[in-house]
Amino acid sequence: MPEVTRSLSARSSKSRSDTPAPPKRHRFTFASLRGNYQPELSKRLFRLIKSENYVINAYESAGHERQSIATQLSEWGEQTGDDAVSELSDKLGVILTEIGAQEDIFAQNLEDYRGILKQIRNTESGVQPSRDHKTKVQDEIARLKYKEPTSSKLVTLEQELVRAEAENLVAEAQLTNVTRAKLKEAYAQHFAAVVERAEKQAILAKHGRRMLNLLNDTPVVPGDTHEPFNSERQARQILYDAEEDLRIWTLNLEEVPTQAHSVVGGVLDGKAAATSSLAPRTAELGNHPAQLGIHPAHRKVSGASNHSNAGSSSSSATADPPYPISQEERRRREDMIAAF
Amino acid sequence: MPEVTRSLSARSSKSRSDTPAPPKRHRFTFASLRGNYQPELSKRLFRLIKSENYVINAYESAGHERQSIATQLSEWGEQTGDDAVSELSDKLGVILTEIGAQEDIFAQNLEDYRGILKQIRNTESGVQPSRDHKTKVQDEIARLKYKEPTSSKLVTLEQELVRAEAENLVAEAQLTNVTRAKLKEAYAQHFAAVVERAEKQAILAKHGRRMLNLLNDTPVVPGDTHEPFNSERQARQILYDAEEDLRIWTLNLEEVPTQAHSVVGGVLDGKAAATSSLAPRTAELGNHPAQLGIHPAHRKVSGASNHSNAGSSSSSATADPPYPISQEERRRREDMIAAF
């Protein structure tokens, strides 16, 4: 009996001895190389998403092989010349083919889950420049205050810092909102896929066992032969029953409700943000309220619902993050996304 | 909605268009080469068993990757600095690790099922020489009757044919008995493994969804932070519940009873065979009942229960078939078995 709670943590530092599987070594490829160019913030999720690809490939391969074997089983049965074995191996083949097809559907569902995780990763990699920018301006101010405390550039830089801080506040809020909402969505989807595969394959396997009961394995003595097989009708009925059970099957799960419906681009929808808490909150930040009118982050946020950045769908993943990015950064983002 | 009965047959001649997966091409290896040296009779099953290996490897790989990803998820969560995400990603990691472990157990169960199929394959490859021998003697008699109808060798050959026919009758009975009994046993085991994995993973996934409901994904506005996470106790309780559900889980399946219990070495147990139907049946065969006393096949059959050839367990797979085999044939059989 496996013990889920032999460890109450999956973290390797605490549970290394309970986690028998070290990360698999895969071939060194251009794709794995690309991971090294990920912003620090999104590196871990980048690798996790990559690893999910190996899982998906494994299930696809298991599903296809299972279907190929189902055909092989049927053809072997035909070749035995034993009518019962021939008929039943063929019907078992149909059930095994469907079990394999479910494995394939599971792989597709995992692909969807993987797409949701990518939205977190894209937000992470979009937020990194915002953090970097803020740090850069802070460093520049500190450097200048030490070297040229009277420089007129300091005023410009402090204005820039206020903008950078406000922009970063938005970015960090987007990050935490997207992370929670999409983590919940991704694993709700993942677990639903596990349950769907499980319940459908269990239905099929149970009908498979009924099918086996049509095979009389009472031994014959040398020279004797088995009675002719006369359960074709029952065998066909079992397939119809299996099909009907799959047809009426529904996914019946505890709901995983989300409170994230009002998230657009990772923060509250623009109007709410502009009229309620965002305004006073951002006002507290700066000594230059006049700047707020042209705040790039704010401009993005209050732009209503026609912009849906990293957060809301994977097709929008190539959209810019809600703050200015360089040409180089934009190209890098597009390369990264195109590569998937 | 998949339709199990879109085809009532898994045979490729009838259902090629419904079977999307052509047999996968694998690398050409010494192992695949070995398939070419299989007796004709066991070639198909030999390949099927080989293909099952790819399925098993795929599940093992999926299981190990899943466990590695569970750790990666937990470590990513820790790095987000979000206490709720950190705590829950870690607990989700524990559940995903267990789902991966179930995949591994499934692979082991498939390995057992594969072992049962090998017993059919070994019987098939053991029966081939018996068929070949009978045919060879028949051909030799036909040739001699045409060329030297008066040859004294004909008497010897006809005696040999009677022995060969009797031996082959036993071999064919063994084949059909082993085939039916082991086909039933193998797939009953296979389907039970599918159900076990399904039901246990469904339990885990459902608790996983409960876990997700502890994650508050109500969006925050820029500058705001989430409430501190205070559901550690509930999260731990979900893991305990999952463990308890797995602990009390039992496999509850329709029985697949077998009538094959009296099979020893693929035919009825020796005493029954010697005293009941075998004796009159074999007596009908030959004109030389005196030969029966030393009949090699009969000797094997009536040798009571201390011999258990190809049929009864995989550890006995290296035993000789119940008829004389050449040194070369014995070596080939041993090579073949050792290679697995």
Side-chain angles (χ1 to χ4, degrees), chain A residues 149-201:
Chain A
T150 56
S151 167
S152 64
K153 261 185 84 181
L154 266 173
V155 176
T156 325
L157 278 172
E158 302 236 347
Q159 285 174 346
E160 194 177 341
L161 180 59
V162 171
R163 292 196 302 270
E165 280 173 344
E167 182 209 292
N168 182 246
L169 268 188
V170 172
E172 300 292 349
Q174 290 175 323
L175 180 59
T176 189
N177 290 343
V178 167
T179 298
R180 289 192 175 204
K182 294 302 166 181
L183 180 67
K184 203 165 172 177
E185 184 184 340
Y187 282 95
Q189 209 277 5
H190 184 119
F191 289 133
V194 170
V195 172
E196 178 177 348
R197 173 181 76 157
E199 293 183 350
K200 288 186 172 175
Q201 289 190 344

Side-chain angles (χ1 to χ4, degrees), chain B residues 114-257:
Chain B
R114 198 168 157 267
I116 304 171
L117 285 185
K118 281 187 194 169
Q119 297 176 34
I120 306 179
R121 181 204 61 192
N122 292 348
T123 305
E124 285 182 337
S125 70
V127 165
Q128 183 80 60
S130 159
R131 289 192 185 172
D132 294 347
H133 180 59
K134 194 180 91 176
T135 311
K136 202 186 112 206
V137 178
Q138 283 170 331
D139 290 353
E140 183 75 4
I141 289 171
R143 197 184 59 81
L144 214 60
K145 273 191 175 156
Y146 178 77
K147 278 183 63 182
E148 293 179 66
T150 56
S151 167
S152 65
K153 260 184 84 181
L154 267 174
V155 176
T156 324
L157 277 172
E158 301 231 348
Q159 287 174 346
E160 192 176 343
L161 180 59
V162 171
R163 291 197 302 271
E165 280 173 343
E167 182 208 292
N168 182 244
L169 269 188
V170 172
E172 300 292 348
Q174 289 174 324
L175 180 58
T176 189
N177 290 342
V178 167
T179 298
R180 288 191 174 204
K182 294 302 165 182
L183 181 67
K184 203 165 172 176
E185 182 184 341
Y187 281 95
Q189 209 275 6
H190 184 119
F191 289 133
V194 170
V195 172
E196 178 177 349
R197 173 181 77 156
E199 293 183 350
K200 288 186 173 175
Q201 289 191 343
I203 287 171
L204 289 159
K206 285 172 182 177
H207 286 296
R209 284 173 67 96
R210 284 177 66 205
M211 191 72 82
L212 289 172
N213 277 333
L214 301 179
L215 182 61
N216 176 10
D217 65 348
T218 309
V220 295
V221 293
D224 246 354
T225 51
H226 282 280
E227 305 268 292
F229 184 67
N230 55 15
S231 308
E232 286 89 352
R233 208 186 48 73
Q234 285 120 295
R236 233 179 357 257
Q237 188 55 49
I238 290 172
L239 291 190
Y240 289 130
D241 291 350
E243 180 174 3
E244 177 63 9
D245 283 356
L246 285 187
R247 202 185 56 74
I248 61 175
W249 175 89
T250 50
L251 189 59
N252 188 7
L253 283 176
E254 187 169 353
E255 282 295 305
V256 179

Side-chain angles (χ1 to χ4, degrees), chain A residues 5 11-12 26 59 65 74-76 82 86 90 98 103 124 184 197 201 215 217 243 258-259, chain B residues 2 5 9 11-12 26 59 65 74-76 86 103 124 180 184 197 201 215 217 243 258-259:
Chain A
T5 52
R11 229 147 259 168
S12 56
H26 298 288
Y59 285 123
E65 284 289 345
S74 165
E75 289 173 357
W76 164 80
D82 179 329
S86 175
D90 193 38
E98 190 57 37
E103 214 65 76
E124 286 181 336
K184 203 165 172 177
R197 173 181 76 157
Q201 289 190 344
L215 182 61
D217 65 347
E243 181 174 4
T258 179
Q259 281 76 44
Chain B
T5 52
S9 165
R11 230 146 258 168
S12 56
H26 299 288
Y59 284 123
E65 284 288 344
S74 165
E75 289 173 355
W76 163 81
S86 175
E103 214 65 76
E124 285 182 337
R180 288 191 174 204
K184 203 165 172 176
R197 173 181 77 156
Q201 289 191 343
L215 182 61
D217 65 348
E243 180 174 3
T258 178
Q259 281 76 44

Side-chain angles (χ1 to χ4, degrees), chain B residues 19-129:
Chain B
T19 322
K24 272 265 189 80
R25 293 281 157 262
H26 299 288
R27 275 172 314 140
F28 186 72
T29 60
F30 279 114
S32 60
L33 198 71
R34 208 167 54 234
N36 298 330
Y37 299 126
Q38 285 291 306
E40 193 55 38
L41 195 54
S42 55
K43 254 185 186 161
R44 282 175 183 275
L45 209 46
F46 183 90
R47 291 209 190 103
L48 187 152
I49 289 166
K50 188 116 218 108
S51 302
E52 281 294 354
N53 232 1
Y54 298 116
V55 174
I56 292 168
N57 290 343
Y59 284 123
E60 269 175 0
S61 149
H64 292 170
E65 284 288 344
R66 170 63 61 238
Q67 294 180 54
S68 149
I69 290 171
T71 307
Q72 289 180 53
L73 176 69
S74 165
E75 289 173 355
W76 163 81
E78 192 171 33
Q79 172 235 257
T80 60
D82 179 329
D83 60 348
V85 171
S86 175
E87 179 71 19
L88 292 174
S89 68
D90 192 39
K91 296 285 179 283
L92 290 173
V94 174
I95 290 177
L96 291 166
T97 300
E98 190 57 38
I99 288 178
Q102 291 300 328
E103 214 65 76
D104 235 21
I105 292 169
F106 181 59
Q108 288 162 34
N109 283 333
L110 287 185
E111 194 59 73
D112 293 345
Y113 138 84
R114 198 168 157 267
I116 304 171
L117 285 185
K118 281 187 194 169
Q119 297 176 34
I120 306 179
R121 181 204 61 192
N122 292 348
T123 305
E124 285 182 337
S125 70
V127 165
Q128 183 80 60

